[in-house]
Amino acid sequence: MAVDSGTVTPGLVSFLLGSIPVIVAWIYSEWLEYKKSSSSKAHSDSNLDELENQTIKEDERAVLIEGGLTKSASTKLASPSIKTNIIRFLTMDDLFLLENRLLLRAMAEFGGILFYFYICDRTNFFSESTKSYNRDLFIFLYILLIITSAMTSLKKHNDKSAFSGKSILYLNRHQTEEWKGWMQVLFLMYHYFAATEIYNAIRVFIAAYVWMTGFGNFSYYYIRKDFSVARFAQMMWRLNFFVAFCCIVLNNDYMLYYICPMHTLFTLMVYGALGIGHQYNEIRSVMALKILMCFLVVIFVWEVPGVFDILWSPFTSLLGYSDPAKPDLPRLHEWHFRSGLDRYIWIVGMIYAYFHPTVEKWMDKLEESEAKHRRTIKTSIATVAIIVGCLWYEYIYKLGKVEYNKLHPYTSWIPITVYICLRNCTQQLRNFSLTLFAWLGKVTLETYISQFHIWLRSNVPNGQPKWLLSFIPDYPLLNFMLTTAVYLLISYRLFELTNTLKSAFIPTRDNQKLFHNFIAGAVISVCLYCFSYILVQIPH
C-alpha cells in the first residue's frame, strides 16, 4: 500500500491521534460488556458487581461528554461536567465506558469509515479504472431501477395535512424525498459514467435541491417558529459535520463538495430572512417585504460587478478552491460560479412554501367539486404545464453548456414548476410514492460526498474524481455492482452515525451545555492540530 509522504498532513495526523483513544476505549467497553454479561451474580469482582447493579438499557443511553448519564439516571443525578467526563474517558473509567459503549462504537465506526475513505482515494491499495459512457447502458440501468422500484416499493400514503387536516398530500414529505431520490440517482450516474450530454439536466436537479432548501426551511420556520440556537446548531451539524471531517482527513477544500457550502449559505439566508422580526411573519406585507429584500440582496451581491469579490474575499480561506487541473483560476471562481447558478431559486422555494396552504385549500375545493369541472381544470393545468415544459426544452434546455448556464439562474424555476404541476395533478398521483427512491432521497448528502472517495477516485487533494474505484479489474459491470453496494451501505451508515452523534453532542434544550460542548470541541481540535503540526514538521 503505497502512500505519498506528501499526503501526511496535520489534519490527518490529528484525526488519527483523536481516533485511536476512542477506538481503544470502545474495544475496552465491549470487553467490559462481554465480561459483565457472562459473569454470574456471585462474581467476586466488586467493580463488576457495582456495574451489575446499575445495568442500563440500550434504548435509554445518554451521551458522551454531553452528559454521560442515561435518561432515567439523569432525573436523579445532575449531569457531570465536561471536564469530569473527559477525565473519566482518559482514565478509562469502567462505569463511564459501559454507559457510553454504544456512542463509543458509533464514533469508532465513523473514524473507521473515514480511514476507509483515505485507503480508497489516497493509496494504491485498490486499483482504478477509466470512465466510459454508453447511452444504451445508461438508460437501461435507470429504467431497470424505476421498474424494480415500482414493483417492490410503490406505497400509498394517507397522511393528514397540517393546514386542512385532510389527505391532500400536495408536495408532501414522501413526494419530495422521492423527488430527491430519482434526481440523485441520475446525478450520481452522470458522474460515474461521465454522461456529459445530460449536463443541463444536472444543473436543473441541483437547482431543485436548492429550491427544496428554501421550501423546506421556510415551511419549518414559518410553521414551527423555532429559531432556537439548538435548532440552528442541529441544522449546521447535519450539513457540515461529515464534510468537515472529509476536508480534514483528505486535505480537501470545502468547495470541492460545493453542494454543502451552497446549501449552508441558502439555509442561513432563509433562517435570517424569517428569524429577523419573526414575530411579524404572519403579516402579509411584512413577508412580502422580506421576500423582496431577499431578491434585492441577491441582485446586489451577484449582479453588481465587484460586490461579490468584496463581500466574500475575507472568506477565501473557507470558500476558496484550487483545482489542480486549473491552477490559474482565482480561488473564489468556483464559489462565484456555483452559488451564482442557483442564486434565485431558493427564494422561489420560499414563495412556494408561503403559498402552500393557499394552494392546498384550493386543491381541496377542487377535489370536492363536480367531476366534469374537476377534470376540465386538471386537464387544463396539465396541458399548460406540458406546453411550457416543451417550449423550455426546445428553446433553453437544448442550448450549449455555456449559453445554458447564462440563462439558468433566471429559468430554472420553469422545469421545477412544471414537474410540481404534473406530479400533483391528481389525488392518485399525490397519494403514491416510490419508497426506494424516497429512501435514497434521505441520504443524498452522504451519497454526494462519499462518491468522491469510495465510488470514484481523484487520487490527489482537491482533485475532481476522474477515475472509478476498481475492486474487480477488467470486469466493469461486476465492479460497478460491488462498489455500488459497498458505497450505498456506507452512505446509509454515515447518515445514521451523523444523526446519532448529533443527538449526543447537540442538546436540544440546554444552550449552556451546547456552548460548553462547542468550546470543548474547539479546544480539543486546536490542541490536536497544533501537536500534529509539530509532529509533521519534525522530519523536515
Side-chain angles (χ1 to χ4, degrees), residues 10 530-540:
C530 292
F531 183 65
S532 301
Y533 182 82
I534 295 172
L535 288 179
V536 171
Q537 295 303 314
I538 290 176
H540 302 291

Side-chain angles (χ1 to χ4, degrees), residues 213-248:
T213 295
F215 180 86
N217 282 291
F218 184 98
S219 298
Y220 178 86
Y221 292 122
Y222 189 73
I223 296 172
R224 300 286 184 88
K225 300 176 177 60
D226 179 11
F227 299 94
S228 63
V229 175
R231 168 64 185 178
F232 177 81
Q234 290 174 341
M235 184 170 56
M236 291 298 103
W237 179 286
R238 178 73 184 95
L239 288 172
N240 293 294
F241 171 73
F242 174 38
V243 71
F245 274 92
C246 286
C247 292
I248 292 169

Side-chain angles (χ1 to χ4, degrees), residues 129-130 132 192-193 468 472-481 483:
S129 58
T130 57
S132 63
Y192 192 91
F193 294 104
L468 307 176
I472 312 175
D474 302 322
Y475 291 89
L477 292 180
L478 288 177
N479 183 71
F480 171 72
M481 179 184 67
T483 56

Side-chain angles (χ1 to χ4, degrees), residues 63-67 82 228-234 237 501-518:
V63 300
L64 177 66
I65 297 179
E66 179 190 347
I82 293 176
S228 63
V229 175
R231 168 64 185 178
F232 177 81
Q234 290 174 341
W237 179 286
L501 297 175
K502 179 184 70 175
S503 300
F505 296 110
I506 309 292
T508 56
R509 293 183 177 85
D510 192 338
N511 289 342
Q512 183 179 18
K513 184 175 291 184
L514 174 61
F515 177 73
H516 289 166
N517 286 354
F518 174 77

Side-chain angles (χ1 to χ4, degrees), residues 254-255 260-269 297-304 306-321 330-340 343 346:
Y254 184 36
M255 268 307 298
C260 298
M262 276 179 54
H263 282 284
T264 299
L265 170 66
F266 297 130
T267 297
L268 288 173
M269 295 182 80
V297 168
V298 170
I299 291 171
F300 179 68
V301 174
W302 276 272
E303 305 287 1
V304 179
V307 174
F308 183 92
D309 292 330
I310 294 173
L311 176 65
W312 294 109
S313 57
F315 304 97
T316 301
S317 58
L318 175 65
L319 297 171
Y321 173 67
R331 289 267 294 161
L332 286 175
H333 170 81
E334 187 76 1
W335 175 234
H336 185 268
F337 173 69
R338 298 295 183 182
S339 62
R343 57 186 179 269
W346 64 277

Side-chain angles (χ1 to χ4, degrees), residues 28-140:
Y28 182 54
S29 71
E30 295 287 359
W31 180 80
L32 288 174
E33 176 67 19
Y34 170 77
K35 191 174 181 181
K36 185 190 73 172
S37 61
S38 62
S39 62
S40 62
K41 293 182 180 180
H43 200 284
S44 60
D45 192 324
S46 61
N47 288 331
L48 289 177
D49 281 339
E50 180 182 357
L51 294 177
E52 285 276 353
N53 294 330
Q54 300 185 39
T55 302
I56 299 166
K57 296 181 180 180
E58 289 187 357
D59 60 317
E60 292 182 341
R61 71 186 187 280
V63 300
L64 177 66
I65 297 179
E66 179 190 347
L69 296 174
T70 60
K71 295 176 183 177
S72 58
S74 63
T75 60
K76 300 177 182 179
L77 301 172
S79 297
S81 66
I82 293 176
K83 179 180 177 181
T84 300
N85 281 326
I86 293 176
I87 292 173
R88 293 178 70 192
F89 171 74
L90 294 175
T91 57
M92 304 287 280
D93 180 85
D94 289 2
L95 179 58
F96 177 80
L97 297 181
L98 264 175
E99 289 174 346
N100 296 282
R101 177 176 59 88
L102 296 179
L103 186 56
L104 288 169
R105 179 191 295 174
M107 295 171 68
E109 184 180 357
F110 183 77
I113 289 174
L114 286 172
F115 182 70
Y116 176 70
F117 275 42
Y118 185 86
I119 294 297
C120 289
D121 196 35
R122 292 291 189 270
T123 73
N124 295 324
F125 189 85
F126 298 112
S127 60
E128 62 191 35
S129 58
T130 57
K131 298 180 180 181
S132 63
Y133 177 61
N134 181 294
R135 183 187 297 173
D136 180 48
L137 177 62
F138 186 93
I139 296 174
F140 167 77

Side-chain angles (χ1 to χ4, degrees), residues 249-290:
V249 174
L250 298 161
N251 194 30
N252 287 328
D253 288 334
Y254 184 36
M255 268 307 298
L256 176 67
Y257 316 94
Y258 63 88
I259 294 292
C260 298
M262 276 179 54
H263 282 284
T264 299
L265 170 66
F266 297 130
T267 297
L268 288 173
M269 295 182 80
V270 176
Y271 181 84
L274 270 71
I276 297 172
H278 60 86
Q279 64 271 26
Y280 304 110
N281 284 346
E282 299 295 333
I283 303 175
R284 285 177 174 264
S285 58
V286 172
M287 188 54 62
L289 179 62
K290 287 188 174 188

Side-chain angles (χ1 to χ4, degrees), residues 342-362:
D342 299 307
R343 57 186 179 269
Y344 292 111
I345 196 63
W346 64 277
I347 308 176
V348 177
M350 290 174 60
I351 295 171
Y352 284 28
Y354 181 71
F355 287 104
H356 183 276
T358 303
V359 174
E360 197 170 69
K361 290 176 182 177
W362 179 83

